[in-house]
Amino acid sequence: MREFEAANVELRERLPPVVAMLIAPKAEQCYRWRVQLDCGCVNEVMTRGKECLPGERQWRGPEHEWLQKGQMLCIHDDAPPALHQKIVEWGERRECTFPADPVEPRHGVDRQTWALIRHDEPHASAFWKVTLTCGHVTDVIAPDLEWKPDDGARRCSAKRVAEMTKEFEEFWASNSTGQDDRERDHMRRMLSQGWPSPEPECLCYTCPYVRWIVAYQRVGWLTPRAAEPEQQQTLKPPTLASLKRRLRQAEAEAERLRRQLTQSQRVDGL
Ligand SMILES: [Zn+2]
Ligand SMILES: [Zn+2]
Protein backbone atom coordinates (compact mmCIF):
# COMPACT_ATOMS: atom_id res chain seq x y z
CA MET A 1 0.00 0.00 0.00
CA ARG A 2 2.86 2.36 0.88
CA GLU A 3 4.48 1.80 -2.54
CA PHE A 4 1.13 2.26 -4.27
CA GLU A 5 0.52 5.56 -2.45
CA ALA A 6 4.07 6.81 -3.16
CA ALA A 7 3.62 6.04 -6.88
CA ASN A 8 0.35 8.00 -6.93
CA VAL A 9 2.00 10.97 -5.19
CA GLU A 10 4.76 10.90 -7.82
CA LEU A 11 2.13 10.79 -10.59
CA ARG A 12 0.29 13.80 -9.11
CA GLU A 13 3.55 15.76 -8.90
CA ARG A 14 4.51 14.94 -12.48
CA LEU A 15 1.18 15.52 -14.25
CA PRO A 16 -1.40 18.33 -14.35
CA PRO A 17 -3.95 17.71 -11.51
CA VAL A 18 -6.89 16.94 -13.85
CA VAL A 19 -4.88 14.39 -15.87
CA ALA A 20 -3.47 12.78 -12.70
CA MET A 21 -6.99 12.49 -11.25
CA LEU A 22 -8.21 10.75 -14.41
CA ILE A 23 -5.38 8.26 -14.81
CA ALA A 24 -4.23 7.56 -11.21
CA PRO A 25 -5.28 4.00 -10.37
CA LYS A 26 -7.44 3.27 -7.33
CA ALA A 27 -6.16 0.79 -4.76
CA GLU A 28 -9.08 -1.56 -5.36
CA GLN A 29 -8.20 -1.80 -9.10
CA CYS A 30 -4.62 -2.92 -8.45
CA TYR A 31 -3.58 -6.53 -8.93
CA ARG A 32 -0.22 -7.85 -7.74
CA TRP A 33 2.18 -10.06 -9.70
CA ARG A 34 5.59 -11.59 -9.25
CA VAL A 35 7.60 -11.14 -12.43
CA GLN A 36 10.80 -12.96 -13.39
CA LEU A 37 13.22 -11.23 -15.78
CA ASP A 38 15.93 -12.70 -18.00
CA CYS A 39 18.56 -11.42 -15.53
CA GLY A 40 17.09 -13.89 -13.01
CA CYS A 41 15.58 -11.22 -10.72
CA VAL A 42 12.05 -11.65 -9.42
CA ASN A 43 10.24 -8.35 -8.80
CA GLU A 44 6.74 -7.60 -7.64
CA VAL A 45 4.63 -5.31 -9.83
CA MET A 46 1.02 -4.23 -10.09
CA THR A 47 -1.33 -3.96 -13.05
CA ARG A 48 -4.77 -2.45 -13.33
CA GLY A 49 -7.04 -5.45 -12.88
CA LYS A 50 -6.31 -9.18 -12.94
CA GLU A 51 -6.82 -9.56 -16.70
CA CYS A 52 -3.92 -7.24 -17.54
CA LEU A 53 -0.95 -9.63 -17.81
CA PRO A 54 2.50 -8.13 -16.99
CA GLY A 55 4.05 -9.52 -20.19
CA GLU A 56 1.24 -8.21 -22.40
CA ARG A 57 1.33 -4.56 -21.37
CA GLN A 58 3.97 -1.88 -21.79
CA TRP A 59 6.09 -0.65 -18.88
CA ARG A 60 7.83 2.68 -18.67
CA GLY A 61 11.52 3.56 -18.73
CA PRO A 62 13.33 6.12 -16.52
CA GLU A 63 12.08 9.08 -18.60
CA HIS A 64 8.53 7.68 -18.44
CA GLU A 65 8.84 6.59 -22.06
CA TRP A 66 7.21 3.32 -23.12
CA LEU A 67 9.47 0.30 -23.37
CA GLN A 68 8.69 -2.50 -25.80
CA LYS A 69 5.99 -4.97 -24.73
CA GLY A 70 7.54 -7.66 -22.56
CA GLN A 71 10.42 -5.43 -21.37
CA MET A 72 11.04 -3.98 -17.90
CA LEU A 73 13.87 -2.16 -16.21
CA CYS A 74 16.11 -3.92 -13.72
CA ILE A 75 19.02 -2.00 -12.23
CA HIS A 76 22.24 -3.95 -11.77
CA ASP A 77 25.55 -2.50 -10.55
CA ASP A 78 27.45 -4.68 -13.02
CA ALA A 79 25.28 -3.75 -16.04
CA PRO A 80 27.21 -3.18 -19.29
CA PRO A 81 28.26 0.44 -19.96
CA ALA A 82 25.88 2.80 -21.76
CA LEU A 83 26.50 3.12 -25.51
CA HIS A 84 25.98 6.03 -27.92
CA GLN A 85 22.77 5.98 -29.94
CA LYS A 86 21.72 8.34 -32.74
CA ILE A 87 18.95 10.85 -32.11
CA VAL A 88 15.96 10.10 -34.35
CA GLU A 89 13.37 12.54 -33.00
CA TRP A 90 13.34 15.87 -31.16
CA GLY A 91 10.45 16.26 -28.72
CA GLU A 92 9.51 18.70 -25.98
CA ARG A 93 11.63 21.70 -25.00
CA ARG A 94 11.96 23.03 -21.46
CA GLU A 95 14.00 25.84 -20.01
CA CYS A 96 15.84 25.70 -16.68
CA THR A 97 17.49 28.56 -14.83
CA PHE A 98 20.61 28.04 -12.75
CA PRO A 99 22.25 30.30 -10.16
CA ALA A 100 25.79 31.61 -10.74
CA ASP A 101 28.50 28.96 -10.23
CA PRO A 102 30.63 29.30 -7.07
CA VAL A 103 34.16 30.68 -7.46
CA GLU A 104 35.65 27.54 -5.89
CA PRO A 105 36.09 24.74 -8.48
CA ARG A 106 33.49 21.94 -8.52
CA HIS A 107 33.17 18.42 -9.95
CA GLY A 108 36.94 17.79 -9.64
CA VAL A 109 37.78 20.42 -12.30
CA ASP A 110 41.13 22.20 -11.89
CA ARG A 111 41.19 25.89 -10.96
CA GLN A 112 42.32 27.17 -14.36
CA THR A 113 39.70 25.23 -16.36
CA TRP A 114 36.99 26.12 -13.83
CA ALA A 115 37.78 29.84 -14.25
CA LEU A 116 37.19 29.42 -18.00
CA ILE A 117 33.96 27.43 -17.88
CA ARG A 118 32.15 28.74 -14.80
CA HIS A 119 29.09 31.00 -15.17
CA ASP A 120 29.63 34.10 -13.05
CA GLU A 121 25.96 35.11 -13.36
CA PRO A 122 22.65 33.21 -13.16
CA HIS A 123 21.88 31.64 -16.53
CA ALA A 124 19.23 29.64 -18.37
CA SER A 125 19.60 26.56 -20.59
CA ALA A 126 17.18 24.84 -22.92
CA PHE A 127 16.75 21.06 -22.73
CA TRP A 128 15.11 18.96 -25.43
CA LYS A 129 13.61 15.51 -24.98
CA VAL A 130 14.97 13.27 -27.71
CA THR A 131 14.15 9.74 -28.87
CA LEU A 132 17.12 7.54 -29.75
CA THR A 133 17.49 4.75 -32.35
CA CYS A 134 16.94 2.20 -29.57
CA GLY A 135 13.54 3.83 -28.84
CA HIS A 136 14.57 5.22 -25.45
CA VAL A 137 14.23 8.84 -24.42
CA THR A 138 16.73 11.21 -22.85
CA ASP A 139 17.48 14.93 -22.43
CA VAL A 140 19.87 16.92 -24.59
CA ILE A 141 21.06 20.44 -23.87
CA ALA A 142 20.71 22.95 -26.75
CA PRO A 143 23.69 25.10 -27.79
CA ASP A 144 21.68 28.17 -26.72
CA LEU A 145 18.14 29.29 -25.84
CA GLU A 146 17.24 30.30 -29.41
CA TRP A 147 18.29 27.02 -31.04
CA LYS A 148 15.54 24.87 -32.65
CA PRO A 149 15.90 21.40 -34.25
CA ASP A 150 15.08 22.92 -37.68
CA ASP A 151 18.24 25.03 -37.39
CA GLY A 152 20.33 21.85 -37.59
CA ALA A 153 23.62 21.38 -35.77
CA ARG A 154 26.23 24.12 -35.70
CA ARG A 155 29.66 23.08 -36.87
CA CYS A 156 33.21 24.37 -36.45
CA SER A 157 35.32 25.54 -39.36
CA ALA A 158 37.46 22.93 -41.11
CA LYS A 159 40.55 24.74 -39.78
CA ARG A 160 39.36 24.57 -36.17
CA VAL A 161 38.35 20.89 -36.55
CA ALA A 162 41.82 20.09 -37.91
CA GLU A 163 43.41 21.83 -34.89
CA MET A 164 41.14 19.99 -32.45
CA THR A 165 41.76 16.63 -34.13
CA LYS A 166 45.51 17.18 -33.76
CA GLU A 167 45.12 18.19 -30.09
CA PHE A 168 42.95 15.18 -29.27
CA GLU A 169 45.22 12.71 -31.07
CA GLU A 170 48.23 14.13 -29.19
CA PHE A 171 46.35 13.92 -25.90
CA TRP A 172 45.33 10.28 -26.52
CA ALA A 173 48.84 9.35 -27.62
CA SER A 174 50.39 10.81 -24.47
CA ASN A 175 47.62 9.78 -22.08
CA SER A 176 46.48 6.20 -22.63
CA THR A 177 44.08 6.20 -19.68
CA GLY A 178 42.63 9.68 -20.32
CA GLN A 179 39.47 8.45 -22.08
CA ASP A 180 38.12 4.99 -22.76
CA ASP A 181 37.62 3.56 -26.28
CA ARG A 182 33.92 4.36 -26.26
CA GLU A 183 34.61 8.06 -25.55
CA ARG A 184 37.48 8.24 -28.06
CA ASP A 185 35.39 6.65 -30.82
CA HIS A 186 32.61 9.13 -30.06
CA MET A 187 35.02 12.10 -30.16
CA ARG A 188 36.49 10.86 -33.47
CA ARG A 189 33.00 10.55 -34.97
CA MET A 190 32.16 14.09 -33.81
CA LEU A 191 35.43 15.48 -35.20
CA SER A 192 34.85 13.74 -38.55
CA GLN A 193 31.40 15.41 -38.69
CA GLY A 194 32.79 18.90 -37.99
CA TRP A 195 32.20 18.88 -34.19
CA PRO A 196 28.41 19.38 -34.37
CA SER A 197 26.50 21.11 -31.60
CA PRO A 198 24.15 19.70 -30.44
CA GLU A 199 25.68 16.30 -31.04
CA PRO A 200 23.60 13.92 -33.22
CA GLU A 201 24.08 11.03 -30.77
CA CYS A 202 24.14 10.53 -27.03
CA LEU A 203 24.62 7.83 -24.43
CA CYS A 204 21.56 5.72 -23.64
CA TYR A 205 21.46 4.93 -19.94
CA THR A 206 18.26 2.89 -20.35
CA CYS A 207 19.59 0.16 -22.72
CA PRO A 208 21.91 -1.46 -20.14
CA TYR A 209 18.99 -1.97 -17.73
CA VAL A 210 16.31 -3.23 -20.10
CA ARG A 211 15.37 -6.87 -19.51
CA TRP A 212 12.81 -9.30 -20.92
CA ILE A 213 10.03 -10.74 -18.79
CA VAL A 214 10.36 -14.53 -18.86
CA ALA A 215 7.67 -15.59 -16.38
CA TYR A 216 5.01 -14.19 -14.11
CA GLN A 217 2.85 -15.44 -11.28
CA ARG A 218 -0.31 -14.06 -9.68
CA VAL A 219 -0.08 -12.73 -6.12
CA GLY A 220 -3.59 -11.29 -5.74
CA TRP A 221 -5.52 -8.06 -5.28
CA LEU A 222 -3.82 -5.19 -3.43
CA THR A 223 -6.87 -4.70 -1.23
CA PRO A 224 -8.55 -7.81 0.25
CA ARG A 225 -11.95 -8.62 -1.20
CA ALA A 226 -14.69 -11.21 -0.83
CA ALA A 227 -14.01 -14.52 -2.57
CA GLU A 228 -15.05 -14.37 -6.25
CA PRO A 229 -17.24 -17.07 -7.74
CA GLU A 230 -15.24 -19.45 -9.96
CA GLN A 231 -15.66 -18.20 -13.50
CA GLN A 232 -15.68 -20.40 -16.51
CA GLN A 233 -12.66 -19.09 -18.45
CA THR A 234 -13.30 -18.52 -22.13
CA LEU A 235 -9.97 -19.06 -23.81
CA LYS A 236 -9.15 -16.76 -26.71
CA PRO A 237 -6.59 -18.00 -29.24
CA PRO A 238 -3.35 -15.99 -28.79
CA THR A 239 -2.46 -13.41 -31.44
CA LEU A 240 0.57 -13.86 -33.70
CA ALA A 241 2.31 -10.90 -32.01
CA SER A 242 1.78 -12.35 -28.54
CA LEU A 243 3.01 -15.78 -29.68
CA LYS A 244 6.16 -14.18 -31.11
CA ARG A 245 6.69 -12.26 -27.88
CA ARG A 246 6.22 -15.39 -25.78
CA LEU A 247 8.71 -17.25 -27.97
CA ARG A 248 11.24 -14.43 -27.49
CA GLN A 249 10.65 -14.53 -23.74
CA ALA A 250 11.05 -18.32 -23.69
CA GLU A 251 14.27 -18.03 -25.70
CA ALA A 252 15.61 -15.41 -23.29
CA GLU A 253 14.79 -17.70 -20.37
CA ALA A 254 16.46 -20.66 -22.11
CA GLU A 255 19.54 -18.52 -22.73
CA ARG A 256 19.64 -17.51 -19.05
CA LEU A 257 19.36 -21.14 -17.93
CA ARG A 258 22.07 -22.17 -20.42
CA ARG A 259 24.40 -19.49 -18.97
CA GLN A 260 23.60 -20.68 -15.44
CA LEU A 261 24.26 -24.29 -16.47
CA THR A 262 27.64 -23.39 -18.01
CA GLN A 263 28.55 -21.49 -14.87
CA SER A 264 27.62 -24.34 -12.52
CA GLN A 265 29.45 -26.84 -14.75
CA ARG A 266 32.51 -24.60 -14.48
CA VAL A 267 32.16 -24.52 -10.68
CA ASP A 268 31.70 -28.33 -10.57
CA GLY A 269 34.76 -28.78 -12.76
CA LEU A 270 37.02 -26.90 -10.32
ZN1 LIG B 1 17.72 -7.97 -12.52
ZN1 LIG C 1 18.44 2.78 -25.32
Side-chain angles (χ1 to χ4, degrees):
M1 265 321 264
R2 268 202 305 277
E3 277 175 32
F4 164 79
E5 276 155 15
N8 265 358
V9 167
E10 191 268 336
L11 198 70
R12 280 197 290 271
E13 282 169 359
R14 185 160 53 83
L15 297 173
V18 182
V19 180
M21 199 178 72
L22 283 173
I23 70 165
K26 296 186 175 51
E28 56 273 20
Q29 296 174 313
C30 291
Y31 194 80
R32 298 165 57 189
W33 303 84
R34 258 191 293 275
V35 169
Q36 188 182 13
L37 304 175
D38 64 352
C39 49
C41 293
V42 176
N43 300 327
E44 201 184 298
V45 296
M46 284 190 283
T47 59
R48 206 178 284 227
K50 62 188 282 196
E51 305 307 326
C52 176
L53 310 180
E56 300 288 318
R57 57 153 284 177
Q58 277 182 289
W59 298 91
R60 289 187 186 269
E63 292 290 327
H64 303 291
E65 78 277 25
W66 293 112
L67 301 175
Q68 285 181 44
K69 255 189 200 174
Q71 290 186 333
M72 276 188 111
L73 286 189
C74 197
I75 309 295
H76 286 250
D77 290 342
D78 60 351
L83 296 177
H84 287 96
Q85 301 276 351
K86 283 204 179 71
I87 296 171
V88 289
E89 199 182 311
W90 293 81
E92 260 170 56
R93 174 192 186 275
R94 75 191 154 86
E95 228 171 272
C96 288
T97 47
F98 301 95
D101 290 327
V103 179
E104 278 305 303
R106 285 260 182 104
H107 319 298
V109 176
D110 65 82
R111 199 164 279 278
Q112 206 182 352
T113 315
W114 183 252
L116 287 172
I117 62 169
R118 75 175 274 266
H119 291 94
D120 46 11
E121 281 180 28
H123 60 283
S125 293
F127 292 86
W128 289 81
K129 275 227 178 304
V130 295
T131 308
L132 308 173
T133 27
C134 52
H136 301 135
V137 174
T138 188
D139 274 334
V140 161
I141 190 165
D144 60 46
L145 291 178
E146 283 71 44
W147 183 87
K148 301 182 298 303
D150 286 346
D151 299 346
R154 292 172 194 168
R155 290 182 161 76
C156 288
S157 69
K159 183 167 170 281
R160 180 68 194 121
V161 172
E163 283 167 6
M164 283 179 5
T165 308
K166 189 165 166 281
E167 284 164 16
F168 270 115
E169 293 298 343
E170 279 170 9
F171 169 68
W172 291 325
S174 64
N175 191 333
S176 59
T177 55
Q179 272 176 330
D180 59 22
D181 288 347
R182 176 190 73 180
E183 214 38 46
R184 283 181 197 205
D185 291 346
H186 167 71
M187 292 290 196
R188 286 198 177 107
R189 278 197 300 277
M190 294 304 101
L191 287 164
S192 72
Q193 293 173 35
W195 201 252
S197 170
E199 293 180 348
E201 60 180 43
C202 57
L203 290 172
C204 180
Y205 291 100
T206 306
C207 274
Y209 302 115
V210 169
R211 294 294 183 167
W212 287 101
I213 295 174
V214 293
Y216 43 83
Q217 180 182 39
R218 294 177 181 276
V219 176
W221 291 101
L222 176 63
T223 52
R225 57 192 60 203
E228 290 171 46
E230 278 294 317
Q231 271 175 12
Q232 198 61 41
Q233 288 259 341
T234 47
L235 288 176
K236 269 190 299 180
T239 62
L240 185 63
S242 92
L243 277 174
K244 278 186 183 166
R245 199 159 50 243
R246 273 162 56 192
L247 179 63
R248 217 163 42 222
Q249 289 164 354
E251 282 168 353
E253 171 65 355
E255 180 52 31
R256 189 183 71 82
L257 291 173
R258 232 174 267 130
R259 271 202 313 273
Q260 251 179 10
L261 186 67
T262 322
Q263 264 167 4
S264 54
Q265 276 168 343
R266 248 185 243 136
V267 173
D268 287 348
L270 282 179

